[in-house]
Amino acid sequence: MGKLKPFMLERNFLILMIGVFINGLGSGIYLVAGMLLVLNLSGSVFYSGLAMFAISSAGVLSFLIAPLANYAKYKNGLVYSNLIKAIILLTLPLLHFTIGLNVWYVITLLFITALFTQYTYPIESTILPLIVGEDNVIEANSYLQTVREAMDIVFIAGAGIIITFIGTVSAISIFAVCLLLVSLLYTFLNFKQPDISKDKSKSIGAVTNVYFMDLKAGFNYIRNSLVPKMIFSIVFINIAMVIMTTNLPAFSLMKGNGIEAVYGFYLASLSLGIMIGTIVSPKLKHIDFGKLIITAYIGTGIVWIGAATLPLIASLILFCIGAISIGITNILVFSAIQKQVETAYIGRVITLITSAAALGMPLGSLIGGLLGETFAPELSIFICGISMVIFSIFWLCSPVLRKLPGIDRAKLFNNGEAKGVI
């Protein structure tokens, strides 16, 4: 058994790890309960598409939210944003047991909650290198993501069964309580925040000007990087992914002969695949990144086409195998960003990339909802598999992307381009 890395015993990293663990207790149930609640209230796959549209729209807006993270202490941002999310979610059981719930209110609530997530995610990404050091970023990300996915596997898989006994609204309440605990836990964080000075003027015009300067700094940082060359293919693949996930509840009910728990099994299968990719990603960082992506996503496309057409058990296994490439890509790309980007820009760069990547997701949600209403749900899974193969072909045809070296050697950013803008 290998020795524990020193950063794993660091106080702040342990707090962050426990926070991720507690969050995972409820987030898996929340993911299943939220989509099933919309489906139950509306009785329509199209409304599931609208719910996914709302959540993905929050992702598109994340580049506008990212600069706000630098206007408060990172610790305070984590504490209060999780607290507010918990309070918002607790309005669901309150309304449910009093005047009743409306599907539009639920969709709006999912959107607002997703907006707060766009605020906390870049903060977590920013503080990790400060806590563990740049040399340990890939390993630390791998450990954190492994905990996330492991919790998702357990609680998403059991979510359908739990919801059967306590209902969707009570299940969402569990997540709200977990957020309250996470908010309390993060009050014990204690790390040195970099000095990011801001204009303290009370003039609204001055504050607005600084905000847009920060926003521009993030754009300048990635403008001459490899990121713009990658964005088109990522947007394309995200459209396909959302078309698939929008129809996954209906697809699961079809494969499971109407058993709601099967939806949880498919989401758990997805999480298991991502977790496997997360675990193996540190071992793959020396492989040429371009070749790794091309090979992995061609494999994903083939097995997901199989998942769309084969019986339940085989479909679940192939669905899991196809998700491994997602876990590998997430860890390697975001770890490279955290290592190569200056601390003051990490949050903005990550959210600009995720915002750009999410541009097609609202469109994919609407397309997925319409496809689900018109055709059999397995068509959407099949389309996603074909799209993965097309994605790989695009990378294969691009000399720059095809020839990318191992992620530790790939220079994604021209550091210094944005200096002086902050």
Side-chain angles (χ1 to χ4, degrees), residues 55-123:
I55 295 170
S56 56
S57 295
V60 174
L61 295 175
S62 63
F63 77 97
L64 295 173
I65 301 171
L68 300 177
N70 285 333
Y71 288 81
K73 291 184 177 179
Y74 294 141
K75 173 181 170 180
N76 291 344
L78 289 174
V79 170
Y80 290 115
S81 56
N82 280 292
L83 179 61
I84 293 171
K85 281 169 65 176
I87 293 171
I88 291 172
L89 289 175
L90 286 172
T91 64
L92 275 178
L94 178 63
L95 293 177
H96 175 69
F97 293 111
T98 54
I99 62 175
L101 284 174
N102 178 277
V103 67
W104 289 108
Y105 177 79
V106 175
I107 291 174
T108 302
L109 183 143
L110 293 174
F111 171 71
I112 295 172
T113 304
L115 281 178
F116 277 97
T117 300
Q118 305 311 316
Y119 178 76
T120 56
Y121 183 71
I123 295 178

Side-chain angles (χ1 to χ4, degrees), residues 118-369:
Q118 305 311 316
Y119 178 76
T120 56
Y121 183 71
I123 295 178
E124 292 174 353
S125 300
T126 299
I127 68 173
L128 190 63
L130 300 176
I131 292 173
V132 305
E134 291 184 357
D135 292 340
N136 297 309
V137 164
I138 291 180
E139 287 79 4
N141 271 324
S142 181
Y143 281 115
L144 287 176
Q145 193 63 21
T146 298
V147 171
R148 287 191 183 100
E149 300 303 334
M151 297 303 292
D152 280 350
I153 291 164
V154 174
F155 286 94
I156 287 177
I161 299 171
I162 293 171
I163 291 168
T164 300
F165 285 100
I166 67 174
T168 53
V169 174
S170 298
I172 290 173
S173 301
I174 293 175
F175 182 48
V177 172
C178 289
L179 287 173
L180 288 174
L181 293 175
V182 169
S183 181
L184 176 63
L185 177 68
Y186 284 162
T187 61
F188 295 99
L189 283 170
N190 182 24
F191 57 88
K192 182 176 175 58
Q193 176 164 314
D195 182 23
I196 305 173
S197 59
K198 297 294 172 190
D199 188 350
K200 302 298 182 182
S201 170
K202 295 185 179 180
S203 163
I204 294 177
V207 172
T208 302
N209 185 54
V210 172
Y211 167 80
F212 281 106
M213 287 177 64
D214 285 347
L215 199 59
K216 182 180 178 182
F219 279 106
N220 285 342
Y221 209 101
I222 70 170
R223 183 179 56 193
N224 296 318
S225 70
L226 285 178
V227 172
K229 294 181 174 64
M230 301 165 66
I231 289 298
F232 173 78
S233 57
I234 295 173
V235 169
F236 171 76
I237 206 168
N238 276 347
I239 291 175
M241 285 290 294
V242 175
I243 289 174
M244 178 181 74
T245 52
T246 297
N247 284 274
L248 197 56
F251 176 75
S252 303
L253 289 173
M254 183 201 72
K255 287 287 186 181
N257 295 319
I259 301 173
E260 288 186 341
V262 174
Y263 178 43
F265 297 158
Y266 269 99
L267 291 177
S269 177
L270 186 69
S271 294
L272 177 60
I274 293 173
M275 186 183 75
I276 293 171
T278 296
I279 292 172
V280 302
S281 59
K283 306 294 184 182
L284 304 175
K285 61 184 180 181
H286 302 298
I287 298 176
D288 287 353
F289 188 66
K291 295 176 182 177
L292 178 64
I293 291 295
I294 293 166
T295 304
Y297 278 86
I298 284 178
T300 293
I302 293 171
V303 297
W304 276 0
I305 290 171
T309 56
L310 294 176
L312 177 60
I313 300 302
S315 177
L316 284 168
I317 294 171
L318 292 179
F319 203 64
C320 171
I321 294 172
I324 294 174
S325 60
I326 299 173
I328 293 171
T329 306
N330 286 348
I331 293 299
L332 293 183
V333 171
F334 283 102
S335 295
I337 292 170
Q338 288 170 311
K339 291 179 70 173
Q340 296 183 27
V341 175
E342 299 165 53
T343 299
Y345 293 95
I346 291 175
R348 275 171 282 175
V349 168
I350 285 178
T351 48
L352 278 172
I353 292 172
T354 53
S355 291
L359 282 174
M361 293 175 71
L363 176 63
S365 302
L366 296 179
I367 294 173

